[in-house]
Amino acid sequence: MKIDSHIHLNNNKFKNISLSFSSLSSELEKSKIDRAVVIHMIHEPWSLTEFSKEVNKYEKFLAIINIDPSKPDALDLTKTAIQEYGYKGVKLHPRLQQYDLNDKRVYQYIKSIAQFNIPIIIDAFPDGTYLMNGFSPLKYANLAKAFPNVNFVWAHMGGFMAIEFMLLTKRLKNVYMDISYSFLYFKDSSLLKDFIYCMKSLKFERVFYGSDYPDRSIHETLSLTEELLNKFDINAKDLNKLFFENAKKFWFNDK
């Protein structure tokens, strides 16, 4: 069994949300992926209500809401999403939505939503623009340290800074990571060994498989990820942790 812990709807190809969810479900079935964490992004053309209505038609999906904590309506939107529509977590995207994790509004927002006991996914992929704007793994670590009772997922495993993020994760018991996007983005570089090293160093605990569909193909991502992992002789027990067991416990509360 497998879980994809980082997926979005394809709003470029499908303007109808029902068709988008139907296509996503079919793509997962073709790749024999049983469940998925689906993130509703701010820029998508459908409302929280529409997204919630569709996602609840599928037992395999768990919904996450993207929030910009620098906006004045961030807390109200989060409360509505969780209490009325059943969203199970929050996605913060400081790179795309252009705010700093050091911003006091980010800290105040997380302090306000900690009561809901939901995970927070944070984009952690340092592209060139993000680096020029002051990207630092320490900003992620300081945020996690400030809220030890909140579980954070550092998406994309920190990109080319994977080792730095892994070392910080080992000191922060409320931090998890997913390998979406980065693992294949750097597949032809020397960094691939770093990702393998990081997962091994974490004993394949607190790390999830993800595709980052539709930016990356569900089928191609899974096939290439399995192929690359097999080249490094990762044993079946650790593969099961990465692809299924860790996410089952964390996202779906299935012990």
Side-chain angles (χ1 to χ4, degrees):
M1 299 183 75
K2 292 182 175 64
I3 295 173
D4 191 322
S5 293
H6 198 119
I7 276 182
H8 307 276
L9 291 183
N10 191 340
N11 64 287
N12 291 319
K13 185 176 180 180
F14 301 100
K15 301 304 179 184
N16 179 287
I17 190 170
S18 294
L19 290 177
S20 188
F21 265 109
S22 178
S23 174
L24 175 58
S25 179
S26 296
E27 289 293 318
L28 292 169
E29 288 176 6
K30 289 176 185 177
S31 294
K32 298 182 180 179
I33 296 175
D34 304 275
R35 298 175 180 174
V37 177
V38 189
I39 304 166
H40 175 276
M41 296 298 293
I42 290 173
H43 65 265
E44 291 176 347
W46 27 73
S47 69
L48 292 179
T49 309
E50 292 173 307
F51 190 94
S52 175
K53 181 180 178 181
E54 291 299 322
V55 79
N56 288 332
K57 293 178 181 179
Y58 301 85
E59 291 185 2
K60 70 178 76 174
F61 293 139
L62 181 147
I64 302 295
I65 180 177
N66 173 213
I67 292 289
D68 182 344
S70 70
K71 302 299 183 184
D73 63 347
L75 181 56
D76 287 340
L77 277 175
T78 305
K79 286 182 177 178
T80 299
I82 295 168
Q83 296 177 334
E84 296 184 25
Y85 301 129
Y87 285 77
K88 301 300 184 183
V90 166
K91 167 74 177 285
L92 302 184
H93 209 310
R95 173 170 57 91
L96 185 63
Q97 285 143 15
Q98 299 183 343
Y99 57 85
D100 196 308
L101 284 181
N102 278 346
D103 191 319
K104 63 181 181 180
R105 292 172 295 183
V106 175
Y107 279 74
Q108 184 57 51
Y109 169 76
I110 295 177
K111 181 180 179 180
S112 298
I113 69 165
Q115 61 180 303
F116 299 121
N117 193 31
I118 58 170
I120 298 176
I121 306 174
I122 310 180
D123 172 84
F125 186 86
D127 64 7
T129 301
Y130 205 4
L131 286 169
M132 287 188 283
N133 288 337
F135 179 91
S136 169
L138 290 179
K139 293 181 181 181
Y140 291 76
N142 289 336
L143 195 60
K145 284 174 65 178
F147 300 99
N149 295 321
V150 175
N151 286 328
F152 293 89
V153 179
W154 292 343
H156 319 307
M157 213 173 188
F160 76 93
M161 293 184 177
I163 289 181
E164 288 93 329
F165 274 89
M166 177 272 293
L167 291 170
L168 292 168
T169 297
K170 293 181 80 168
R171 295 294 183 266
L172 297 163
K173 300 306 180 184
N174 59 327
V175 170
Y176 300 72
M177 293 193 286
D178 75 47
I179 65 170
S180 64
Y181 191 78
S182 290
F183 195 68
L184 293 192
Y185 185 88
F186 294 108
K187 67 182 176 66
D188 294 321
S189 77
S190 60
L191 289 169
L192 185 63
K193 290 183 178 180
D194 288 351
F195 289 110
I196 297 295
Y197 170 77
C198 288
M199 287 188 277
K200 285 184 175 180
S201 185
L202 290 169
K203 299 180 181 179
F204 283 85
E205 303 288 349
R206 292 191 284 147
V207 58
F208 314 129
Y209 168 76
S211 65
D212 205 15
Y213 171 88
D215 199 290
R216 292 292 184 266
S217 158
I218 288 173
H219 176 71
E220 181 182 2
T221 299
L222 180 60
S223 296
L224 285 176
T225 300
E226 290 181 322
E227 179 183 330
L228 291 170
L229 289 168
N230 286 334
K231 286 183 179 180
F232 286 87
D233 296 322
I234 308 301
N235 64 54
K237 182 179 179 180
D238 287 338
L239 289 174
N240 186 55
K241 289 181 183 179
L242 176 67
F243 283 110
F244 181 66
E245 197 66 33
N246 295 341
K248 180 187 72 168
K249 293 177 182 178
F250 183 85
W251 287 116
F252 295 92
N253 297 315
D254 189 347
K255 308 301 181 184

